[in-house]
Amino acid sequence: MSTNWQQVLSNDTTNLGNITYVLMKSLGMTLGQALQLTPDAATTMGVWFARITGLSMFLAYTGAFFTLIYSPLKAIIQGTPKALWPARMTQLNTAGMPANAMWMQCLLVCVFILLVSFGGDTASAFYNKLTLMANVSMTLPYLFLTLAFPFFKAKQDLERPFVIFKTRAATLLATTVVVLVVAFANIFTVIQPVIEANDWNSALWMVGGPIFFSLMAMGIYENYRRRVAQSTIWVAD
């Protein structure tokens, strides 16, 4: 599926959050024109293409929403030492859920939705920058996990009830393929805007994303280390 950039995608109201619906509306209008419908009928077809796309995506993602709401918090908060986060974020309710952290997450998401929906061009640009920063950052953990996989397989004192890669050659082959695919995907994701449109701004934001999130993680860990050290001193005293 393709569309005209100047006529459709260069609109100020188009951002990385609603581009799917814009493209589907354009597809519906183009199909209507190809079927020699009237302009009004072609426009109506485009609108219904966008609506059906939105409905199908909503139904498809409804089940995933519940997992996406809780899984990151479970991995980030409950899977790390409690001292890493503020005390209120790690508190569990009677159902064993980090309710405070989930409400904080809900509030943050609502703020972003309101900003993008009603904040005008500045908010849309901010959302686009965040999306660019997350493009590469989201795949780097998989790269680190893949690089660690051969070392994990080398450990012989672990119980493994289910094994897929039974030889070291198969392990190294799988690791090499995944590392190359993810690495080249990230590299070309960064350089593509520069090659196609000389868009250094987008490339720099994508490079800056992992740096920013890494510095944030280092700051959180350093704060945790100091709190643990301080607690040890208090216990010793």
Side-chain angles (χ1 to χ4, degrees):
M1 180 173 59
S2 61
T3 188
N4 187 289
W5 175 271
Q6 293 296 333
Q7 295 179 1
V8 179
L9 298 183
S10 62
N11 195 304
D12 293 337
T13 60
T14 302
N15 54 56
L16 295 178
N18 63 7
I19 190 171
T20 302
Y21 311 109
V22 174
L23 286 172
M24 292 305 297
K25 180 180 179 181
S26 175
L27 175 63
M29 293 177 62
T30 303
L31 179 61
Q33 294 169 2
L35 296 175
Q36 298 183 352
L37 300 179
T38 64
D40 290 341
T43 301
T44 302
M45 178 176 286
V47 171
W48 276 103
F49 264 56
R51 289 175 177 174
I52 293 173
T53 300
L55 178 61
S56 62
M57 291 179 66
F58 172 76
L59 295 176
Y61 291 150
T62 297
F65 283 158
F66 298 101
T67 302
L68 293 174
I69 289 171
Y70 177 61
S71 292
L73 290 178
K74 180 178 178 64
I76 294 175
I77 295 179
Q78 292 187 262
T80 55
K82 287 187 175 182
L84 199 64
W85 309 101
R88 288 185 59 83
M89 291 184 64
T90 59
Q91 291 177 356
L92 303 180
N93 60 12
T94 55
M97 303 289 286
N100 292 332
M102 294 180 72
W103 278 113
M104 293 178 187
Q105 176 182 250
C106 176
L107 179 62
L108 183 62
V109 171
C110 290
V111 169
F112 274 109
I113 292 175
L114 292 175
L115 284 176
V116 174
S117 300
F118 306 106
D121 298 340
T122 303
S124 295
F126 175 66
Y127 178 81
N128 288 338
K129 295 296 186 296
L130 286 179
T131 304
L132 290 172
M133 292 174 67
N135 279 344
V136 177
S137 303
M138 291 178 63
T139 60
L140 288 182
Y142 299 103
L143 190 61
F144 296 145
L145 287 174
T146 305
L147 291 172
F149 182 61
F151 300 96
F152 168 77
K153 290 287 290 183
K155 293 182 177 293
Q156 302 298 326
D157 56 343
L158 300 176
E159 182 180 354
R160 298 184 175 91
F162 182 74
V163 178
I164 296 179
F165 303 103
K166 301 182 182 299
T167 64
R168 181 166 178 79
T171 300
L172 293 177
L173 177 62
T175 300
T176 302
V177 170
V178 174
V179 168
L180 289 177
V181 169
V182 175
F184 277 107
N186 284 334
I187 292 172
F188 285 109
T189 297
V190 172
I191 67 176
Q192 180 184 6
V194 179
I195 295 175
E196 294 185 352
N198 199 28
D199 185 5
W200 285 94
N201 186 42
S202 296
L204 291 176
W205 277 105
M206 282 188 280
V207 173
I211 298 175
F212 171 77
F213 293 123
S214 297
L215 292 175
M216 180 184 294
M218 292 173 62
I220 294 174
Y221 178 77
E222 181 63 21
N223 180 59
Y224 160 73
R225 190 186 63 80
R226 291 179 179 178
R227 291 174 63 182
V228 171
Q230 190 68 31
S231 299
T232 304
I233 294 175
W234 289 343
V235 171
D237 292 341

